Amino acid sequence: MTPLASNTCATYRGEVVLSIYTRLGLQANKMVWTRLFSQSFKQSRIQSSSVRWSSGVIQKEKIDPQQFALLSEPCILVDENDTNLGAASKKDCHLMQNGSSLLHRAFSVFLFNSAGELLVHRRSDAKITFPGHYTNTCCSHPLHIPEEIIEENALGVKVAAQRRLEFELGIPPQEALPQDFTYLTRIHYASPSDGIWGEHEMDYILVLRGDVSLNPNENEVQDVRYIKRQNFSSFLQDLHKKNIPITPWFGLIAQKFLPLWWDNLDSLHKFIDHENIHRMSK
């Protein structure tokens, strides 16, 4: 997969991002969005020796402009029982403090096509946490906005998954309707990324089945592929041989749950567990 070829493409992507977040009622920082979406937009990371933000200073970080803009997203803070405690920015949720970061709600989508193949992707090198790692179909966060904090039947998380599948992979919303997701269970895990940034998530596991259209956003994704069930172990072994990492949550889920789910795609209801939260560590 190649980088966006021109400022025109970058500007188009920017307009898509701005359109999505405007519909969600989020306010973009004018300076950030202007820099991000202007014709002088550059795809390379920028050096910021002292990036000032309302809540503090991030020093000596190289942060891609689009990823920088997304750091202001309001994530959902939760306790260990997944009780909504309010909002905190994506930046604050992922900055490591005393070896940990704030626990927040997240989701992991596993999309299987009609042939039973799993769609996986490799995160772009622009990502702030776990750049260049292979992972499941889509991994992100519901936002602390009315339509994504709805907890009944995990509707808010499903709405967020639909939004991010479109943003990251270009999957049309009508091909990933909230009612089409199967919410299986939750896992609670924590893992540092580089010592500065890390993850600490209450991760909702969502399964989606069907054939979808793909138009990946290169700022989010650098490779996509479908993996057959019988080739999954060799796929992971090949990544290991090539020293290509996988995300910690994908590794934990692949080790403990994924084979059983994959072998029972037509009877996933047997594995639905909305009562227990699986405590896992990496």
Side-chain angles (χ1 to χ4, degrees):
M1 192 174 284
T2 60
L4 292 176
S6 66
N7 285 342
T8 299
C9 292
T11 301
Y12 169 74
R13 281 292 186 189
E15 290 171 350
V16 170
V17 177
L18 186 57
S19 173
I20 291 172
Y21 286 93
T22 298
R23 292 202 307 269
L24 291 175
L26 302 180
Q27 297 298 315
N29 179 294
K30 184 177 180 181
M31 180 183 68
V32 172
W33 287 116
T34 299
R35 178 177 60 182
L36 177 58
F37 304 139
S38 68
Q39 291 185 353
S40 62
F41 180 93
K42 296 180 180 180
Q43 286 300 308
S44 60
R45 292 185 176 185
I46 59 171
Q47 174 70 35
S48 176
S49 59
S50 181
V51 179
R52 294 201 173 272
W53 202 286
S54 60
S55 60
V57 176
I58 304 171
Q59 294 185 338
K60 298 181 180 179
E61 280 287 286
K62 294 180 178 179
I63 303 179
D64 172 90
Q66 183 168 323
Q67 297 297 323
F68 179 85
L70 297 176
L71 284 174
S72 62
E73 290 181 325
C75 293
I76 303 170
L77 291 177
V78 296
D79 63 16
E80 292 194 352
N81 294 315
D82 195 27
T83 303
N84 184 343
L85 300 178
S89 71
K90 181 178 177 181
K91 176 182 78 74
D92 288 342
C93 285
H94 293 83
L95 275 176
M96 300 289 289
Q97 300 286 342
N98 300 318
S100 186
S101 53
L102 298 175
L103 178 59
H104 55 282
R105 195 168 287 166
F107 62 82
S108 289
V109 175
F110 291 79
L111 187 153
F112 298 90
N113 65 14
S114 59
E117 298 167 326
L118 173 64
L119 179 64
V120 300
H121 79 269
R122 188 176 186 183
R123 294 162 67 87
S124 80
D125 291 330
K127 298 290 284 185
I128 293 172
T129 58
F130 304 102
H133 287 53
Y134 267 96
T135 193
N136 49 287
T137 309
C138 181
C139 340
S140 191
H141 317 91
L143 303 181
H144 202 282
I145 56 177
E147 55 266 50
E148 295 189 11
I149 62 173
I150 301 172
E151 296 185 349
E152 184 177 359
N153 197 29
L155 179 58
V157 172
K158 294 175 181 179
V159 169
Q162 179 190 45
R163 169 176 58 83
R164 288 298 298 190
L165 284 170
E166 180 183 23
F167 178 63
E168 295 185 18
L169 295 168
I171 298 176
Q174 63 271 22
E175 295 181 6
L177 297 173
Q179 61 265 31
D180 293 335
F181 291 94
T182 299
Y183 160 40
L184 287 181
T185 191
R186 292 166 291 177
I187 68 169
H188 173 196
Y189 80 95
S191 182
S193 178
D194 61 2
I196 299 173
W197 304 96
E199 293 286 5
H200 187 194
E201 297 187 327
M202 185 69 65
D203 195 13
Y204 283 63
I205 307 303
L206 304 177
V207 173
L208 182 64
R209 300 185 66 187
D211 298 320
V212 297
S213 308
L214 296 173
N215 181 25
N217 176 353
E218 284 97 338
N219 190 258
E220 294 284 330
V221 174
Q222 61 177 289
D223 180 52
V224 294
R225 62 181 67 184
Y226 282 98
I227 306 297
K228 295 180 182 296
R229 171 67 178 92
Q230 62 268 30
N231 297 336
F232 186 62
S233 293
S234 60
F235 165 70
L236 295 179
Q237 292 170 5
D238 188 55
L239 292 181
H240 180 71
K241 290 178 182 178
K242 295 177 179 178
N243 201 30
I244 300 175
I246 63 174
T247 59
W249 60 89
F250 186 41
L252 290 169
I253 295 168
Q255 181 179 22
K256 185 168 183 178
F257 298 111
L258 183 57
L260 187 61
W261 296 339
W262 206 337
D263 289 338
N264 294 273
L265 289 179
D266 292 327
S267 53
L268 284 174
H269 63 276
K270 297 187 300 184
F271 308 104
I272 291 176
D273 181 2
H274 297 172
E275 298 298 322
N276 297 302
I277 297 172
H278 302 276
R279 315 291 178 180
M280 307 177 78
S281 60
K282 180 65 175 177

